[in-house]
Amino acid sequence: MEEVRRPRGRPRKPVLLQAEPGLARLGLHERAVQRLRGLIVGGELPAGADLVETDLSAALGISRTPLREALKLLAAEGLIELRPNRSPRVTELRPGDVAALFEAIAGIERATAELAAHRMGEADLAGLRALQTEMEAHHRAGALAPYFALNHRIHGLIVAGARNAPLRDAHDALHARAELARRRALGRRARWDESVAEHRAILEALEARNADAAGRLLSEHVTHTGAALLAGLCPPAATDAA
Amino acid sequence: MEEVRRPRGRPRKPVLLQAEPGLARLGLHERAVQRLRGLIVGGELPAGADLVETDLSAALGISRTPLREALKLLAAEGLIELRPNRSPRVTELRPGDVAALFEAIAGIERATAELAAHRMGEADLAGLRALQTEMEAHHRAGALAPYFALNHRIHGLIVAGARNAPLRDAHDALHARAELARRRALGRRARWDESVAEHRAILEALEARNADAAGRLLSEHVTHTGAALLAGLCPPAATDAA
DNA sequence: TTAGCATTAATTGCATGCAGAGCACGAAAA
DNA sequence: TTTTCGTGCTCTGCATGCAATTAATGCTAA
């Protein structure tokens, strides 16, 4: 059934990651969550990979107990799938999942934008303006790499501006998976132009404290982004110049 | 600092819950999650209660390992709070949290209603109509208890009608905490009348496939519900309209 | 009597051990 | 050659054991 079927286990990824000096005050399971999340969205643990507890615990330098706790948490985020008496697997994003994901993010970010339009302070808006300026500079310079980082920070600032912990948490949980989809279909220059323009419009709506417009624009922006990702992901044909 | 400070541990709740014959095919940690969630939203485990691993594991008839996995998941849901080297505590809902919670639910349900307006089949709508009719019957009869169950099912049907798993998951995660707030402030007869009427308007919007109206009405409905709960919870005085 | 300190009991965090389930491989039969 | 059953190994799920951390308690001294 599956084309990418590992024999039984043993993806044999010599990941070997431990010793996080900065954030050492957290529990092992929490560090494992962060590390594994990074490995998954970073692509080091590819979609469909089997996560064998013994190997992973050895690679992370921890025992299976905190690792299993971390795996449960990642499964709750949807990054991996748990199957009874089977190795957990890194979730495979099907096009339908990506579409649903961005629908959900669009809805949540619209709600945050509407709240943020009323609740962001001038300092917040100034920060957003600065990021927008920086982003446009990168855009003009053609620096695509920093764009993603800026994009992430801008969306995060708007979400934080809503001052709503549940919405923030829900957004963060979905964002990891969205990042996972994002790295599959990057380099869409045309979409990049649109995206920067949309961000500017969103900023202006927030500055005008226009909640409806901010929410609508941000929702549409996320929807467009999702559609672009989906287009670059689902039918990769029609560009078979190779 | 805390008024409800248990000595050190030992809430000594002889909960003693296990042996779920129906859903025996799930892992122990998952059953523990469901059971504990029920105990928390049901009020058997009151807000602020210390959850000592040894006692709970004995009460549930499982060992500490799956229990700890369950506790991590409940903490991710926000139902309990984990503190380093301390017993987890059932989360105490402050008024600000309730307000934020219902803001978030309003935003998410609006998104689901907009999608559901396009995606619900005639069968779904028929089911909604039946529930609405039943609800109105209970309303006329003054049966308050079934109202909550119907209300829950109606909102669940709309959320399911959106055909969006991430939104459904996010909604479910928040819903447990909302239920927790709900059982604190019940018996608001006036709000009950409004609520039934709002539900009817939402149903009509969905039947008309009017996504904007459905989303707006449902969002407002949830907001009103949250406000009513908050009013019955935070300042029980100052009910000017009474 | 009160403040400070050492002691002690209890609880969490993590590691390890063991039994059960599932898959792969191989042998035997059609 | 293909199919089916048996065998063994690996991995998960759960329980238990041990050390570190914490808070309560009793003691001593001012």
Side-chain angles (χ1 to χ4, degrees):
Chain A
M1 311 313 185
E2 268 95 272
E3 52 277 40
V4 243
R5 177 64 101 73
R6 276 79 183 169
R8 161 77 177 141
R10 215 64 37 75
R12 215 46 98 178
K13 270 275 177 183
V15 191
L16 248 316
L17 297 154
Q18 240 272 71
E20 204 68 23
L23 49 148
R25 261 308 108 96
L26 297 98
L28 253 44
H29 70 97
E30 228 170 319
R31 274 187 279 175
V33 165
Q34 299 188 9
R35 183 53 85 188
L36 288 175
R37 183 158 39 206
L39 289 175
I40 292 173
V41 308
E44 284 90 347
L45 288 174
D50 282 353
L51 301 178
V52 179
E53 294 181 359
T54 306
D55 299 344
L56 261 189
S57 64
L60 296 173
I62 64 179
S63 90
R64 289 176 51 219
T65 305
L67 173 66
R68 283 174 59 82
E69 296 171 357
L71 291 177
K72 300 286 186 301
L73 260 358
L74 290 171
E77 281 186 39
L79 285 176
I80 67 176
E81 285 170 351
L82 258 41
R83 285 142 21 174
N85 292 323
R86 288 246 233 330
S87 289
R89 267 241 257 273
V90 177
T91 300
E92 207 121 20
L93 275 182
R94 289 165 316 188
D97 298 332
V98 176
L101 201 52
F102 276 86
E103 277 178 7
I105 295 176
I108 289 174
E109 289 203 14
R110 172 163 69 155
T112 61
E114 291 180 357
L115 295 171
H118 296 307
R119 295 181 184 169
M120 285 180 89
E122 286 303 322
D124 297 316
L125 287 174
L128 259 188
R129 265 191 295 269
L131 290 183
Q132 175 74 22
T133 304
E134 194 177 347
M135 186 191 211
E136 291 178 354
H138 286 306
H139 178 231
R140 277 190 301 273
L144 198 124
Y147 162 71
F148 287 106
L150 265 309
N151 184 66
H152 185 177
R153 288 176 58 191
I154 288 175
H155 283 253
L157 234 66
I158 296 176
V159 171
R163 313 272 194 268
N164 185 298
L167 280 177
R168 178 174 42 71
D169 292 344
H171 182 264
D172 288 352
L174 298 180
H175 192 78
R177 279 199 280 172
E179 283 300 314
L180 207 147
R182 200 159 273 160
R183 58 184 320 284
R184 303 271 197 83
L186 32 74
R188 309 250 321 167
R189 170 80 203 206
R191 172 65 195 146
W192 193 20
D193 297 336
E194 292 171 17
S195 182
V196 172
E198 288 169 4
H199 269 242
R200 167 150 292 279
I202 292 161
L203 173 59
E204 288 168 358
L206 287 173
E207 286 178 324
R209 307 287 186 188
N210 188 339
D212 271 355
R216 183 175 44 78
L217 289 170
L218 183 52
S219 174
E220 290 171 1
H221 166 69
V222 172
T223 300
H224 292 165
T225 301
L229 253 65
L230 206 58
L233 190 71
C234 172
T239 59
D240 45 10
Chain B
M1 311 316 185
E2 269 97 87
E3 51 277 39
V4 241
R5 177 65 100 76
R6 277 80 185 168
R8 160 76 177 144
R10 213 64 37 77
R12 215 47 98 177
K13 269 273 176 183
V15 191
L16 248 316
L17 299 154
Q18 240 272 66
E20 203 68 22
L23 50 148
R25 261 308 108 95
L26 297 99
L28 255 43
H29 71 97
E30 226 169 321
R31 273 188 280 176
V33 165
Q34 298 189 10
R35 183 54 82 188
L36 289 174
R37 182 159 40 207
L39 289 175
I40 292 173
V41 308
E44 284 90 346
L45 288 174
D50 282 354
L51 302 178
V52 179
E53 294 182 359
T54 305
D55 299 344
L56 260 189
S57 64
L60 295 174
I62 63 178
S63 91
R64 289 177 51 220
T65 305
L67 173 66
R68 284 174 58 83
E69 296 171 356
L71 292 177
K72 300 285 186 301
L73 291 173
L74 290 171
E77 279 185 40
L79 285 175
I80 67 176
E81 286 169 351
L82 259 39
R83 283 143 23 173
N85 293 323
R86 280 259 239 325
S87 290
R89 267 243 258 270
V90 178
T91 301
E92 208 121 18
L93 275 182
R94 290 165 317 188
D97 298 332
V98 176
L101 202 52
F102 278 85
E103 276 178 6
I105 295 176
I108 289 174
E109 290 204 11
R110 173 164 69 154
T112 61
E114 291 180 357
L115 295 172
H118 296 308
R119 295 181 185 170
M120 286 179 88
E122 286 303 323
D124 297 315
L125 288 173
L128 260 187
R129 265 191 295 268
L131 291 183
Q132 174 73 22
T133 304
E134 194 178 346
M135 187 191 210
E136 291 178 355
H138 286 307
H139 179 231
R140 278 190 301 272
L144 198 123
Y147 164 71
F148 287 105
L150 265 310
N151 185 66
H152 185 176
R153 287 176 60 192
I154 288 176
H155 282 253
L157 236 64
I158 296 176
V159 170
R163 312 273 194 267
N164 186 297
L167 280 177
R168 177 174 43 71
D169 293 343
H171 182 264
D172 288 352
L174 298 180
H175 192 77
R177 279 199 280 174
E179 283 300 315
L180 208 148
R182 199 160 273 160
R183 59 185 319 284
R184 302 269 198 84
L186 33 72
R188 308 248 324 164
R189 171 80 201 204
R191 171 65 196 146
W192 193 21
D193 296 336
E194 292 171 15
S195 183
V196 172
E198 288 169 3
H199 269 241
R200 168 150 292 279
I202 292 161
L203 173 59
E204 288 168 357
L206 287 173
E207 287 177 322
R209 307 287 186 187
N210 189 337
D212 271 356
R216 183 175 43 77
L217 289 170
L218 182 52
S219 173
E220 290 172 1
H221 166 66
V222 173
T223 300
H224 294 164
T225 301
L229 253 65
L230 205 58
L233 190 71
C234 171
T239 53
D240 43 274

